[in-house]
Amino acid sequence: TDMNYYPVARYHFDLSGTAFGAMAKDGRNEELRHAGIIDMQFKRVPCQYPGLSVTFHVEKGSNPNYLAILVEYGNGDGDVAQVDLMDGDEATGAWAPMRQSWGSIWRMDTRRPLRGPFSLRVTNGSGRSLVADQVIPADWKPEAVYSSDVQFDG
């Protein structure tokens, strides 16, 4: 889901035509693909990722002044309510809040170039937080995936 700031609906699913058509009954995928905006009912369900830890994907376009992180594989309610970052240049140990771009992608725009390693604190929709200490190394790269050693309890 994605927060929708326009008056269509509070939440919406923005799916490709292929994904949208895949939800149709047999033989009716083209009809659904071209339906336009439709009302849907949905509910969130808790997720479990046995054997996986919370993982961070550094998004394409990230650089020392713009860092975008996709948070993946968090057990539990599935909502990421907040992500905070501590970079390697932060001698005080202060956490800086990231801003939600959309979905589970969080970003930080800064005039001061960020330096790794990066620690990330993730807070879920239930208010529980975990810290992935120095999970993204100093020599990080865009489009790289970094696995932590932490996970929310189911």
Side-chain angles (χ1 to χ4, degrees):
T1 63
D2 191 11
M3 190 68 165
N4 187 2
Y5 297 100
Y6 299 101
V8 175
R10 183 168 176 225
Y11 292 96
H12 72 273
F13 292 92
D14 190 3
L15 304 174
S16 69
T18 302
F20 204 57
M23 294 189 303
K25 294 181 179 179
D26 287 341
R28 298 186 68 188
N29 64 326
E30 286 299 314
E31 182 181 342
L32 186 57
R33 283 179 66 142
H34 299 291
I37 297 173
I38 63 171
D39 289 331
M40 295 180 75
Q41 291 182 343
F42 70 95
K43 75 174 188 174
R44 294 186 179 276
V45 296
C47 297
Q48 297 298 316
Y49 300 98
L52 295 176
S53 60
V54 176
T55 300
F56 303 95
H57 180 270
V58 178
E59 295 293 288
K60 182 178 182 177
S62 291
N63 61 65
N65 296 99
Y66 169 77
L67 181 65
I69 304 288
L70 169 64
V71 182
E72 298 181 292
Y73 308 122
N75 283 345
D77 62 25
D79 282 336
V80 176
Q82 181 61 48
V83 178
D84 302 300
L85 176 123
M86 186 186 307
D87 76 337
D89 198 32
E90 200 58 58
T92 63
W95 291 100
M98 297 182 81
R99 295 178 57 186
Q100 186 175 25
S101 286
W102 59 274
S104 197
I105 296 179
W106 295 77
R107 75 173 193 277
M108 178 167 287
D109 302 283
T110 177
R111 290 184 181 179
R112 178 186 63 82
L114 297 168
R115 289 191 6 221
F118 301 125
S119 296
L120 293 164
R121 180 172 60 195
V122 179
T123 304
N124 69 10
S126 299
R128 293 181 291 171
S129 295
L130 55 77
V131 173
D133 191 43
Q134 297 187 357
V135 66
I136 299 177
D139 61 347
W140 64 273
K141 303 279 187 252
E143 300 186 76
V145 176
Y146 301 98
S147 294
S148 71
D149 60 1
V150 296
Q151 181 57 277
F152 289 104
D153 296 328

